[in-house]
Amino acid sequence: MRVAGRFNAQLMDFIRPHVQAGVTTGAIDKLIHDYTLDHGHVPACLGYGPVKNPYPRSCCTSLNHVVCHGIPGNEVLKPGDIMNLDLTTIVNGWHGDQSETFVIEPIASDVRQVVQCAFDSLHLAIAALYPGCSLDLIGQVIARHAARFKFGVVDKYVGHGIGRRFHQPPNVSHVPTREAKSLRIEPGLCFTIEPMINGGSKKTVEDPRDGWTVRTSDGKVSAQFEHTLLMTEAGVEVLTTTENGPQPGHKF
Ligand code: MF3
Ligand code: CO
Ligand code: CO
């Protein structure tokens, strides 16, 4: 899992300078796809999901009011946009999964606040964890931080256990739940935290045409950040990070 997480983080390092005004989401996807294959690994998103409607691309590009699972295509990034780029790679059978929201400057201050809140809520949650802590701590910390700004926390889509499978138990809710209250994060558990923070309502709508794209119901923006984590006896390790990405405390 450490090797998979490191490769996925290096993939994010590789793509970061390419996420710029004038670039299409499809071009970003092609770079991700080719870099992954050139290194002998497998894009986990490509062909993932139901046999009747497998995911058609190698990453998710979720722009502005798209919450998650946006499909790369012909959209051109332009000033004022925010875009979550979610990358997942299979390395020797193990999965690394992470995402970042990119800002195409200049962006509006209310939009920047949503991005900052999503980033800070992820890192506040990570900082709160300790061996054997309640899984519910994650949802408590994220919900409390988002409430300060009256932002919506998406509860329909959750983080997850991860390993040989892309998505495996437990569900990692970003709001407090009864189920999470009864579970603990013991050493050895690999999981993701990936809060989706909406500028308005937490409510989402799935696109009936493509069966994937998830948008906010009120058209307000949504931002997300994700890391794959490992709990150890000594505390939590972030597996999907390098020194090149935004560090805790980063200001957007
Ligand atoms: N990467 C997403 C996650 O964090 C899942 C994307 S599944 C896909 O769990 F099929 F849409 F790519
Ligand atoms: Co994930
Ligand atoms: Co992801």
Side-chain angles (χ1 to χ4, degrees), residues 8-177:
N8 207 66
Q10 286 164 352
L11 176 61
M12 190 65 89
D13 286 348
F14 158 73
I15 203 65
R16 232 179 252 112
H18 294 280
V19 183
Q20 280 194 21
V23 175
T24 66
T25 53
I28 291 169
D29 179 71
K30 170 117 176 63
L31 288 165
I32 299 284
H33 176 268
D34 292 352
Y35 184 98
T36 303
L37 265 59
D38 287 348
H39 287 77
H41 304 312
V42 177
C45 294
L46 189 59
Y48 182 77
V51 182
K52 289 180 109 175
N53 186 29
Y55 190 78
R57 293 286 179 268
S58 298
C59 62
C60 297
T61 49
S62 301
L63 259 119
N64 300 322
H65 68 296
V66 176
V67 174
C68 61
H69 307 165
I71 301 172
N74 298 326
E75 295 154 311
V76 180
L77 298 183
K78 60 177 194 310
D81 284 344
I82 62 170
M83 184 192 72
N84 177 269
L85 178 61
D86 197 331
L87 306 181
T88 312
T89 312
I90 311 171
V91 175
N92 304 328
W94 301 89
H95 291 74
D97 183 12
Q98 80 195 102
S99 80
E100 288 179 17
T101 295
F102 291 83
V103 301
I104 312 297
E105 297 287 5
I107 62 162
S109 64
D110 55 333
V111 172
R112 193 182 308 278
Q113 216 175 36
V114 176
V115 175
Q116 190 71 53
C117 178
F119 183 79
D120 291 342
S121 70
L122 169 61
H123 287 286
L124 284 167
I126 293 171
L129 303 182
Y130 55 90
C133 72
S134 171
L135 184 63
D136 203 43
L137 200 47
I138 293 167
Q140 287 172 18
V141 168
I142 292 168
R144 188 184 315 126
H145 189 64
R148 290 179 47 190
F149 305 91
K150 298 205 164 69
F151 292 153
V153 182
V154 173
D155 55 10
K156 191 154 180 203
Y157 302 90
V158 296
H160 46 94
I162 182 167
R164 286 196 177 276
R165 284 195 287 143
F166 192 164
H167 297 108
Q168 58 189 48
N171 283 336
V172 177
S173 174
H174 304 111
V175 298
T177 67

